[in-house]
Amino acid sequence: MNAHTDTIDEFVASDYKYGFVTDIESESLEPGLNKDVVRFISAKKNEPEWLLDWRLKALQHFEKMKSPTWPQVKYPPVDFQDISYYSAPKKKGDGPKSLDEVDPKLLETYEKLGVPLHERARLAGVAIDAVFDSESIGTTFKEDLAKAGVIFCSISEAVQKHPELVKKYLGTVVPYTDNFYATLNSAVFSDGSFVYIPQGTRCPMELSTYFRINAANTGQFERTLIVAEESSHVSYLEGCTAPMRDENQLHAAVVELVALDNAEIKYSTVQNWYPGDEQGRGGIYNFVTKRGVCKTNAKISWTQVETGSAITWKYPSVILQGDNSIGEFYSIALTNKAQQADTGTKMVHIGKNTRSTIVSKGISAGKGQNSYRGLVQVGKKATKARNFSQCDSLLIGDKCGAHTFPYIEAKNPSASIEHEATTSKIGEDQIFYCNQRGLEPQDAVNMIVNGFCKEVFRELPMEFAIEAQKLLDVSLEGSVG
Amino acid sequence: MSSATANETAPTPIEAFARVEQAGGPLLPLRKTGLARFAERGFPTTRDEDWRFTSLKPLADLPFLPTLEPSDQAFNQTEINGITFGRHDVDRLVFVDGHHSSDLSLISDQPDGVTVSNLADSLSELKNDISSLSANDENPFIALNDAFFTDGALIRIPSNGRLAKPVHLVFLSTAAGDGQAAHVRNWIDAGDNAQGTLVESHLSLGQAATSTNVVTETRIGAGANLEHIKFQDQSDSTVHLASLHSELSKDARYAFHSLALGSRLSRNNLRMRLAKPGIECVLNGLYMTHSDQLADHHMIVDHAAPRCDSHEYFNGILDNQSRGVFHGRILVQSDAQKTNAKQTNKNLILSDHATANTKPQLEIYADDVRCTHGATVGELDDDAIFYLQTRGLDTKTARRMLMHGFAGEIVDRIQHDGIREELDQLVWNRLEDKHHLD
Amino acid sequence: MLEIKNLQAGIEDKPILRGIDLSVNAGEVHAIMGPNGSGKSTLASVLAGRDGYDVTSGEVLLQNDNLLNLAPEERAREGVFLAFQYPVEIPGVNSAYFLRSAVNEIRKHRGEEELDAMHFLKAVKTKMKELGLSEDFLKRPVNTGFSGGEKKRNEILQMAMLNPRLAVLDETDSGLDIDALRIVADGVNRLKGPDNAQVVITHYQRLLDYIVPDFVHVLYDGRIIKSGDKTLAYELEEKGYDWLIQNAA
């Protein structure tokens, strides 16, 4: 029996089915964080001078910052010198020219994850950029997208091929000084996706990025930038998994969305990083900054299903700068075992007649701690701004916690802000009713949880909604004793 | 007098402590610890999460000097009868600048075991009580109060006892000179099944920029039922800081009503500990601000035992450049199953420059609970205005009726008929006088 | 009493009423029926003067006064009463206080003496008994925490107290069980007199078993496509709206 089947056995035995390790030779940088590391990453990617300068400024700023303590999560301090900031599958020669030349082991990995990249099995209607540790290993349907004028590639490639676009928008929504982990990301980001939708274009297919952490002791710092020109439309989905390891691994990503006049961006996330075990050993620290800016009549909609990670700390936000712009946030966050989540959104109303909707569903099971934290801010000039927020929490078992921390600040008398929150447990009568109709307790719980989350599932693209629903069921396994 | 000269001629609070030390007394150790704790922490800033929206700048310009001596201003009973609630049939305890005035107080005979008096004369017997409920609070103003409090009310109701009449605590600030700080301490102890109504008024006589720092500790026994109405109507140049720490026992019922109308800056820290099962606790507040006022209510309701109900209702009407701040946290500990908690904060903004900050929070560690919270900020409801119009009321009357109703939601929860009716009228007149209703 | 001539109205450039003509005389009961989205509730809102509806053409005369120039409260004082499909909840405003204010505004307008609290209470309690409303009802805030049936009964109570010339009942039957429906209908019938008129808007024929109309009009796509007597309602019950819609098209 070789090492490979061992990991498969492990995967079968556990309830986290993406916990396997791909045995592939990687090129990893020694742990540590300093100027040389930043220069190395930048050189590896053959970056222009301005980008290296930007990274170095971020590093300098980072060295002056302290990690935030306000989230409702507990974890030992992260030693930033103990992390490797770059790891990528070793390339043969100049690296693959197309997906056909990619190492078959990598293709096999993605196939096992349910994301086939090779021609014959590709998911119809979905273009995928696959990111493995620090590198993008390939993007499907590039040619079809190019015909529509859509650019969808890794951000490293975009820096080479479309430097003017990257330079124009990078850091405009999330500046390198923004917050602790965003600053770190700005200094050391390795790869991520870049999307550009030209004026008046409706992107002909769903775009998707699949992030995979494989190597041990590495951090993943991807950077995604999506620009939707005037009157364009795009729907984008990201998925994430990682092997089971006893150490915690850091994932600190930044996503920037720019929706120009009348444009619409729909951004969906199904996050299923390794959550760690019951005792809280291992798992990913998912510290992410996601923000979009809406110009006049533009719309940004965030949908997230967060079932993985030991700790999730993210607040996908919308700056409603243009008049009549719309921001939406739909979230399901599930914490089981010893998972902790502190997640929510910020809706910043600047323009007139701006509208935002927040629907957050938190599910706590096992020893999970789940917090919603959100800000709705209405500026002086945001006449007739409207917000509706609904935050519901569901508790399963008596060792978990559910918390809600909304912040509301209104400076305009015509604002209308409504926040509602409820916390409840799954009723015994509900379970009994299901039992009486012949359902197992676990199935009853799954059914009730899925019902609880329905409003959010509805926002996901169809095939992912089904996937997300299954994921929720798997993540809840063992929650009913 | 400018603040610079005030600083030169007057000592700082820490220097003023020499006189407290000289006076000695059974609570000197508490006072010393308080001073040390305050010296260590200093005034909070907006970088402290609990003070994020409430800047203490107005205080920074004041010397904040404890009024260790009673004022020599003289008043008579007739003047006191003229104040809000002054004509009700109550027992009245009056304090001027934090000093008890027995001439102005009117206390009838009390049933056996009931105490309605000032607290400074009973410090020895209260040695172990004072600060027993507030000690764990990090709020530096409590530490400062520990060090400097001069007097306050002592209310004790024995088991199965009740107050002869509602007790009206009147705290007057002479407000004769800028920078005076009155530190008031109240101790309220209601035994098992005790009953009573308590009204607490804070008023100023002058217009000087003074401050009041009041700390109230309330112990409510099993099955006891206490209604506590706090009416803060000090002058617009004052700073009002208050902390209320209540510990409730099994099946106790406690309703606290806060009406925050006055002061340039007012802050009410409310800390409720629901320590035993079956408690019903209501916090009910109305704040109406104009000019550059700021009214802040900051509360934590700690559900530490099962089967308790808590309700927080706070409505704010904000005009001009004023700001209303609400921070409500319901904490449900893991043993507090069958908790039923509800929290609402509604804000009406009447001007382009007013700000509402609201943070209704839930922190829940038990699974069998029903907790909801809601917050709204906005204008009057157009549908409601139309509905009233279709019944023959013009928009001006409709708006007034709705605003009155908005304030009335809070005032109506006061159980004492006379107090409620007087407040209803007062709130209404105040809205007409000081706010832009059209 | 009521004369509607070529009334056209809509919301934000979207036309809903496309030319309505209707004449209602004193002492008459008219029923307006029609499928969902035909414009029934818009008609009620336009008659009462709800904000947000643009009247693009036509006129509405109440005893020869043009209603459309009046504010909602002026219409109410002139005797137009709208029973809401969804009565609005007004927290904190006591029902008795609210109703007495409304009654006195209208009495003032008619040059009548205002009712003092005593006379008002006496009058309202009699009406409440007829509608099966308990007395604590007056102490509660307007419509707040009321059940669906209580809200509708409250509308009829207000109508009884305000004694309108023209009552428009917008889907007053929706959400009522049969007993509540009977109470509401009895209340409406009691108010019928030679000097007033009623326009009953409803989706179902059911209500018309209790409030018998003199005329039935079918509204579709913003126009009255058929008028008749009460037998038209039975015909609609039997055949639905489709045959009429096809005839109209």
Side-chain angles (χ1 to χ4, degrees):
Chain A
M1 194 186 274
N2 60 26
H4 193 74
T5 31
D6 269 344
T7 52
I8 294 210
D9 284 347
E10 206 179 312
F11 146 59
V12 170
S14 92
D15 52 10
Y16 183 72
K17 63 176 186 172
Y18 309 104
F20 62 92
V21 178
T22 305
D23 179 17
I24 191 160
E25 213 179 329
S26 284
E27 182 181 16
S28 294
L29 201 58
E30 285 297 307
L33 178 61
N34 53 46
K35 279 184 189 157
D36 291 339
V37 167
V38 172
R39 286 206 175 89
F40 173 87
I41 296 170
S42 188
K44 196 80 193 165
K45 299 189 170 286
N46 192 27
E47 284 176 357
E49 196 64 25
W50 65 266
L51 191 50
L52 175 62
D53 285 348
W54 192 73
R55 285 174 179 276
L56 288 170
K57 271 194 280 184
L59 179 69
Q60 206 179 6
H61 193 76
F62 179 74
E63 284 163 350
K64 288 182 285 189
M65 294 172 100
K66 287 200 182 93
S67 75
T69 53
W70 48 263
Q72 186 86 354
V73 295
K74 292 191 187 90
Y75 60 97
V78 177
D79 183 352
F80 292 96
Q81 297 303 335
D82 200 31
I83 296 171
S84 165
Y85 288 86
Y86 186 83
S87 173
K90 208 165 214 172
K91 289 173 190 161
K92 298 175 178 96
D94 286 344
K97 295 271 183 296
S98 75
L99 275 168
D100 303 334
E101 293 173 33
V102 169
D103 188 326
K105 271 189 192 159
L106 287 175
L107 294 178
E108 197 184 306
T109 301
Y110 281 87
E111 195 145 345
K112 243 158 78 180
L113 294 169
V115 193
L117 300 177
H118 52 74
E119 291 291 346
R120 60 190 156 77
R122 279 179 191 176
L123 293 174
V126 183
I128 294 170
D129 181 26
V131 177
F132 193 85
D133 290 334
S134 302
E135 284 281 344
S136 165
I137 60 165
T139 310
T140 65
F141 288 109
K142 261 184 161 167
E143 294 75 17
D144 299 278
L145 289 170
K147 274 182 215 147
V150 171
I151 303 170
F152 179 40
C153 62
S154 72
I155 197 141
S156 310
E157 190 180 330
V159 169
Q160 302 304 321
K161 292 189 180 160
H162 311 283
E164 70 298 338
L165 284 175
V166 177
K167 193 173 178 181
K168 185 169 172 191
Y169 292 107
L170 186 77
T172 57
V173 187
V174 181
Y176 71 81
T177 50
D178 195 79
N179 72 71
F180 189 75
Y181 289 105
T183 301
L184 175 63
N185 174 289
S186 302
V188 301
F189 75 88
S190 41
D191 218 335
S193 298
F194 175 79
V195 176
Y196 177 82
I197 316 288
Q199 190 172 346
T201 304
R202 198 179 171 91
C203 185
M205 60 183 84
E206 297 274 345
L207 304 184
S208 170
T209 301
Y210 200 94
F211 295 100
R212 174 72 178 169
I213 295 179
N214 190 59
N217 297 323
T218 57
Q220 192 176 42
F221 304 92
E222 84 261 5
R223 184 120 196 160
T224 294
L225 174 61
I226 298 180
V227 179
E229 284 280 6
E230 287 178 23
S231 305
S232 67
H233 177 284
V234 62
S235 170
Y236 176 94
L237 185 125
E238 60 174 357
C240 340
T241 57
M244 287 169 52
R245 297 186 193 281
D246 281 346
E247 306 80 42
N248 295 109
Q249 279 178 278
L250 180 64
H251 171 256
V254 172
V255 175
E256 296 178 279
L257 309 183
V258 180
L260 298 175
D261 293 359
N262 303 306
E264 182 175 343
I265 301 176
K266 188 172 170 59
Y267 192 108
S268 313
T269 302
V270 175
Q271 183 265 107
N272 187 27
W273 298 117
Y274 176 54
D277 66 11
E278 269 85 0
Q279 273 70 48
R281 275 184 308 239
I284 302 291
Y285 290 165
N286 188 35
F287 299 153
V288 173
T289 304
K290 291 183 168 175
R291 194 178 304 150
V293 62
C294 278
K295 303 291 181 180
T296 306
N297 297 324
K299 176 176 173 182
I300 289 179
S301 179
W302 297 102
T303 305
Q304 60 175 26
V305 178
E306 304 278 325
T307 59
S309 297
I311 299 175
T312 296
W313 178 97
K314 62 182 272 202
Y315 313 92
S317 305
V318 185
I319 313 288
L320 297 159
Q321 203 175 65
D323 292 351
N324 312 314
S325 57
I326 298 173
E328 295 176 339
F329 175 73
Y330 298 94
S331 170
I332 296 169
L334 182 145
T335 52
N336 196 359
K337 297 176 179 164
Q339 284 177 275
Q340 307 172 64
D342 191 308
T343 181
T345 184
K346 282 195 264 185
M347 293 290 173
V348 181
H349 292 256
I350 298 169
K352 293 185 182 65
N353 295 314
T354 45
R355 278 180 291 153
S356 63
T357 304
I358 298 170
V359 177
S360 162
K361 303 282 179 178
I363 302 144
S364 312
K367 288 184 280 180
Q369 295 294 331
N370 207 325
S371 301
Y372 167 81
R373 187 183 303 275
L375 170 69
V376 175
Q377 195 172 42
V378 175
K380 274 196 166 60
K381 295 188 176 139
T383 311
K384 296 273 175 202
R386 295 278 174 272
N387 163 267
F388 175 74
S389 306
Q390 187 187 336
C391 304
D392 297 326
S393 307
L394 194 64
L395 293 147
I396 305 169
D398 55 6
K399 292 187 182 66
C400 50
H403 319 300
T404 320
F405 305 108
Y407 291 66
I408 298 168
E409 174 162 296
K411 293 194 170 177
N412 188 297
S414 65
S416 160
I417 302 170
E418 279 180 69
H419 174 96
E420 286 173 16
T422 62
T423 300
S424 52
K425 74 163 191 167
I426 293 189
E428 273 160 27
D429 49 344
Q430 292 172 310
I431 295 182
F432 173 72
Y433 186 81
C434 296
N435 292 160
Q436 210 283 321
R437 297 289 181 268
L439 292 168
E440 295 289 327
Q442 186 72 58
D443 291 340
V445 167
N446 289 348
M447 210 165 84
I448 293 163
V449 168
N450 279 314
F452 176 75
C453 298
K454 203 170 64 197
E455 287 158 277
V456 177
F457 283 139
R458 224 176 15 219
E459 297 298 320
L460 282 172
M462 179 69 111
E463 53 272 49
F464 298 108
I466 296 163
E467 192 60 31
Q469 207 158 330
K470 278 193 216 145
L471 188 59
L472 218 54
D473 292 353
V474 170
S475 306
L476 276 170
E477 257 166 40
S479 63
V480 179
Chain B
M1 197 198 292
S2 80
S3 58
T5 49
N7 274 334
E8 280 162 30
T9 53
T12 66
I14 292 173
E15 283 160 359
F17 192 70
R19 288 186 44 210
V20 173
E21 212 166 356
Q22 211 174 8
L27 289 180
L28 193 59
L30 173 73
R31 294 183 182 282
K32 282 184 170 167
T33 319
L35 186 78
R37 279 166 61 188
F38 175 73
E40 191 184 311
R41 281 187 220 126
F43 291 120
T45 71
T46 50
R47 281 189 298 277
D48 294 307
E49 182 63 27
D50 282 347
W51 296 84
R52 184 172 161 145
F53 302 112
T54 301
S55 163
L56 291 169
K57 268 228 165 87
L59 207 59
D61 299 334
L62 297 175
F64 209 67
L65 276 179
T67 51
L68 297 176
E69 295 300 329
S71 157
D72 46 18
Q73 256 178 276
F75 308 97
N76 60 42
Q77 285 286 358
T78 325
E79 287 173 83
I80 305 299
N81 288 341
I83 65 170
T84 307
F85 314 134
R87 52 180 182 77
H88 290 287
D89 181 21
V90 294
D91 283 321
R92 183 196 286 158
L93 262 178
V94 180
F95 299 84
V96 179
D97 295 337
H99 295 273
H100 179 228
S101 164
S102 50
D103 293 349
L104 299 176
S105 300
L106 271 177
I107 310 288
S108 57
D109 288 341
Q110 294 293 330
D112 271 356
V114 173
T115 308
V116 177
S117 72
N118 70 315
L119 133 163
D121 297 337
S122 312
L123 292 183
S124 314
E125 53 173 304
L126 290 171
K127 204 168 70 180
N128 297 322
D129 291 329
I130 288 181
S131 138
S132 61
L133 303 180
S134 66
N136 293 327
D137 199 317
E138 298 280 297
N139 183 353
F141 293 104
I142 294 175
L144 204 57
N145 187 287
D146 285 348
F148 288 108
F149 76 82
T150 43
D151 206 346
L154 167 63
I155 311 282
R156 263 195 304 229
I157 317 172
S159 291
N160 302 309
R162 61 190 305 164
L163 292 172
K165 298 174 182 177
V167 172
H168 188 194
L169 309 177
V170 181
F171 298 95
L172 299 174
S173 163
T174 53
D178 285 355
Q180 290 177 348
H183 296 275
V184 172
R185 190 75 170 218
N186 300 314
W187 177 258
I188 294 152
D189 192 343
D192 294 352
N193 305 311
Q195 290 184 41
T197 302
L198 205 63
V199 185
E200 180 186 344
S201 293
H202 295 268
L203 309 165
S204 19
L205 301 166
Q207 292 297 321
T210 59
S211 61
T212 304
N213 177 21
V214 47
V215 176
T216 304
E217 295 171 88
T218 312
R219 203 154 62 189
I220 298 161
N225 187 348
L226 192 71
E227 178 167 42
H228 183 171
I229 300 145
K230 184 182 170 200
F231 176 66
Q232 187 274 106
D233 196 20
Q234 294 188 297
S235 95
D236 288 356
S237 41
T238 61
V239 174
H240 179 89
L241 302 154
S243 288
L244 172 68
H245 292 80
S246 300
E247 178 151 312
L248 285 71
S249 242
K250 190 166 182 294
D251 301 326
R253 297 184 64 183
Y254 180 56
F256 176 77
H257 311 280
S258 171
L259 287 107
L261 308 184
S263 288
R264 177 169 173 201
L265 188 163
S266 71
R267 161 83 164 210
N268 276 288
N269 266 26
L270 310 174
R271 300 288 179 269
M272 299 295 122
R273 191 171 150 77
L274 281 48
K276 294 279 155 50
I279 292 164
E280 196 184 317
C281 174
V282 174
L283 302 178
N284 179 46
L286 174 68
Y287 45 98
M288 303 198 307
T289 56
H290 57 89
S291 60
D292 59 352
Q293 282 186 298
L294 184 156
D296 180 353
H297 284 89
H298 188 286
M299 69 210 69
I300 300 175
V301 177
D302 178 2
H303 280 261
R307 297 194 326 280
C308 293
D309 286 14
S310 71
H311 297 267
E312 291 91 61
Y313 309 96
F314 283 79
N315 285 9
I317 301 178
L318 315 173
D319 203 350
N320 308 120
Q321 298 83 268
S322 68
R323 184 189 284 259
V325 180
F326 172 86
H327 169 114
R329 177 176 289 202
I330 297 172
L331 169 65
V332 180
Q333 302 204 22
S334 55
D335 292 336
Q337 300 294 0
K338 308 268 183 210
T339 287
N340 186 0
K342 192 179 166 188
Q343 186 183 49
T344 57
N345 173 230
K346 300 187 204 168
N347 294 279
L348 265 185
I349 303 191
L350 302 182
S351 120
D352 284 346
H353 303 285
T355 304
N357 290 106
T358 167
K359 293 199 300 177
Q361 312 193 335
L362 301 173
E363 189 173 349
I364 295 163
Y365 298 93
D367 68 332
D368 189 5
V369 297
R370 270 183 39 216
C371 295
T372 61
H373 66 189
T376 59
V377 180
E379 294 178 299
L380 291 169
D381 180 9
D382 286 341
D383 284 341
I385 291 176
F386 174 65
Y387 187 73
L388 294 176
Q389 281 183 287
T390 65
R391 298 300 179 255
L393 306 176
D394 58 47
T395 45
K396 204 172 146 183
T397 312
R399 288 179 61 84
R400 278 171 162 69
M401 191 181 272
L402 290 174
M403 236 171 295
H404 194 178
F406 185 81
E409 272 189 291
I410 301 300
V411 176
D412 279 351
R413 285 198 190 88
I414 295 173
Q415 289 148 33
H416 189 283
D417 294 336
I419 302 284
R420 183 183 62 245
E421 281 155 22
E422 185 169 351
L423 269 177
D424 191 51
Q425 194 58 48
L426 181 142
V427 160
W428 190 228
N429 293 342
R430 198 60 66 87
L431 275 170
E432 287 282 356
D433 287 353
K434 299 236 168 149
H435 291 261
H436 298 95
L437 300 190
D438 300 313
Chain C
M1 160 136 346
L2 177 72
E3 201 70 45
I4 302 177
K5 292 178 189 158
N6 186 33
L7 180 64
Q8 299 186 28
I11 301 175
E12 287 178 5
D13 306 334
K14 188 181 151 231
I16 299 172
L17 302 180
R18 298 162 186 275
I20 292 201
D21 292 288
L22 181 67
S23 214
V24 178
N25 296 311
E28 290 177 352
V29 176
H30 288 239
I32 295 183
M33 302 183 69
N36 286 333
S38 57
K40 300 192 299 290
S41 283
T42 299
L43 178 59
S45 294
V46 169
L47 289 178
R50 188 191 280 272
D51 213 18
Y53 292 88
D54 296 325
V55 175
T56 47
S57 167
E59 55 182 1
V60 177
L61 302 176
L62 183 75
Q63 295 191 316
N64 300 322
D65 289 335
N66 194 350
L67 271 190
L68 297 177
N69 295 333
L70 302 180
E73 64 271 26
E74 293 168 326
R75 299 182 196 199
R77 293 169 195 170
E78 287 297 332
V80 177
F81 181 90
L82 171 64
F84 281 56
Q85 185 179 0
Y86 304 107
V88 181
E89 297 192 5
I90 309 178
V93 175
N94 172 290
S95 291
Y97 170 61
F98 158 73
L99 190 51
R100 190 156 77 96
S101 307
V103 166
N104 282 336
E105 285 293 346
I106 286 169
R107 290 179 72 94
K108 247 192 316 197
H109 182 75
R110 291 179 188 157
E112 294 167 6
E113 208 172 312
E114 293 187 32
L115 281 186
D116 61 24
M118 273 250 291
H119 284 94
F120 168 77
L121 273 181
K122 213 176 141 197
V124 77
K125 282 183 180 169
T126 315
K127 307 276 187 203
M128 283 168 67
K129 212 168 274 169
E130 290 169 2
L131 286 163
L133 287 164
S134 70
E135 283 190 15
D136 74 318
F137 185 84
L138 285 175
K139 294 185 196 139
R140 290 156 64 187
V142 182
N143 291 327
T144 309
F146 286 21
S147 71
E150 281 179 324
K151 282 183 185 172
K152 294 297 169 74
R153 277 185 279 167
N154 189 25
E155 294 294 284
I156 303 307
L157 172 69
Q158 291 178 22
M159 178 171 146
M161 289 300 294
L162 299 179
N163 195 17
R165 276 195 282 195
L166 174 73
V168 180
L169 290 90
D170 188 8
E171 310 246 354
T172 297
D173 51 333
S174 69
L176 290 186
D177 62 29
I178 199 75
D179 291 332
L181 186 67
R182 199 171 288 141
I183 293 171
V184 165
D186 284 351
V188 174
N189 290 332
R190 213 171 288 129
L191 297 172
K192 197 177 158 181
D195 301 326
N196 59 31
Q198 294 169 345
V199 174
V200 180
I201 293 174
T202 180
H203 185 74
Y204 299 106
Q205 186 268 333
R206 193 177 73 147
L207 179 66
L208 304 181
D209 285 343
Y210 301 95
I211 302 174
V212 181
D214 301 304
F215 300 96
V216 174
H217 310 278
V218 177
L219 192 62
Y220 175 70
D221 198 18
R223 287 190 186 89
I224 289 175
I225 54 168
K226 185 155 179 80
S227 298
D229 61 12
K230 65 182 175 192
T231 55
L232 178 57
Y234 297 118
E235 209 173 344
L236 288 170
E237 173 81 351
E238 209 174 294
K239 302 201 239 169
Y241 290 106
D242 286 351
W243 61 284
L244 273 180
I245 292 167
Q246 270 150 22
N247 285 355

